[in-house]
């Protein structure tokens, strides 16, 4: 459970970074996917070291991480395209309200779909860990988050 929660936390951090908030940005303010990948990989490796993960577990969990980061990158690219369309609409003398509302709906749907993929990834990692590793991870997360 702990490992699952750590991976979930890492996924949330990755999504947050990929969508344009926080670290991993060039000086121009655009997210740097390579930097994000490095940071998330470092955190995952650190957690796997703490859990004494086997090579098979590491391989499996890194595959999940890479898949989720790639999907997060696609989500970010869709966000950039939606922003560009929104700006185009707002530059118009008569912005199309239906198009703007459709952009919002599409971004919400994309974020929801990604969140479901993240949950599936967490469940996949959960199955990869031993019960002892899950317990250790849950304790560590509780300690760091103040959760009871």
């Amino acid at each position: 459970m702990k490992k699952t929660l750590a991976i979930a936390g890492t996924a949330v951090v990755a999504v947050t970074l990929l969508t344009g908030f926080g670290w991993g940005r060039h000086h121009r303010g655009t997210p740097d996917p390579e930097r994000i990948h490095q940071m998330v990989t470092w955190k995952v490796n650190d957690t796997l070291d703490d859990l004494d993960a086997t090579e098979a577990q590491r391989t499996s969990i890194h595959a999940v991480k890479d898949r989720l980061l790639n999907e997060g990158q696609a989500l970010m690219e869709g966000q950039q395209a939606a922003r560009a369309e929104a700006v185009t609409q707002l530059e118009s003398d008569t912005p199309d309200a239906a198009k703007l509302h459709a952009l919002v709906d599409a971004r919400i749907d994309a974020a929801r779909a990604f969140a479901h993929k993240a949950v599936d990834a967490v469940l996949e990692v959960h199955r990869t860990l031993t019960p002892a590793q899950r317990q250790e991870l849950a304790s560590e997360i509780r300690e760091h988050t103040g959760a009871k």
Side-chain angles (χ1 to χ4, degrees):
M1 184 62 159
K2 287 181 186 183
K3 182 65 173 173
T4 302
L5 295 175
I7 296 299
T10 301
V12 169
V13 169
V15 171
T16 301
L17 294 173
L18 286 169
T19 56
F21 301 99
W23 318 298
R25 299 172 74 81
H26 290 294
H27 62 89
R28 296 181 313 274
T30 57
D32 179 3
E34 182 57 36
R35 179 72 176 132
I36 292 166
H37 188 270
Q38 289 172 348
M39 291 171 46
V40 172
T41 299
W42 172 80
K43 183 60 179 164
V44 169
N45 280 333
D46 188 49
T47 301
L48 293 173
D49 289 345
D50 291 346
L51 296 174
D52 295 322
T54 67
E55 279 307 310
Q57 288 173 317
R58 288 174 182 275
T59 300
S60 176
I61 291 167
H62 277 291
V64 171
K65 174 215 32 138
D66 291 341
R67 185 178 69 236
L68 200 59
L69 284 173
N70 288 336
E71 291 171 2
Q73 177 66 30
L75 181 68
M76 184 194 70
E77 290 167 2
Q79 182 68 16
Q80 291 170 339
R83 246 187 250 133
E85 176 60 26
V87 169
T88 298
Q89 286 297 317
L90 295 174
E91 288 174 334
S92 167
D93 289 337
T94 56
D96 186 336
K99 268 191 181 176
L100 290 170
H101 285 283
L103 280 174
V104 169
D105 291 342
R107 297 317 305 150
I108 289 170
D109 290 344
R112 181 182 297 111
F114 181 79
H116 284 284
K117 288 177 183 180
V119 168
D120 291 339
V122 167
L123 294 171
E124 187 176 342
V125 168
H126 183 270
R127 290 186 300 269
T128 303
L129 299 174
T130 67
Q133 288 170 322
R134 292 191 298 257
Q135 183 59 39
E136 183 179 342
L137 185 59
S139 295
E140 187 175 314
I141 291 169
R142 281 192 185 101
E143 181 181 318
H144 289 306
T145 63
K148 304 260 174 184

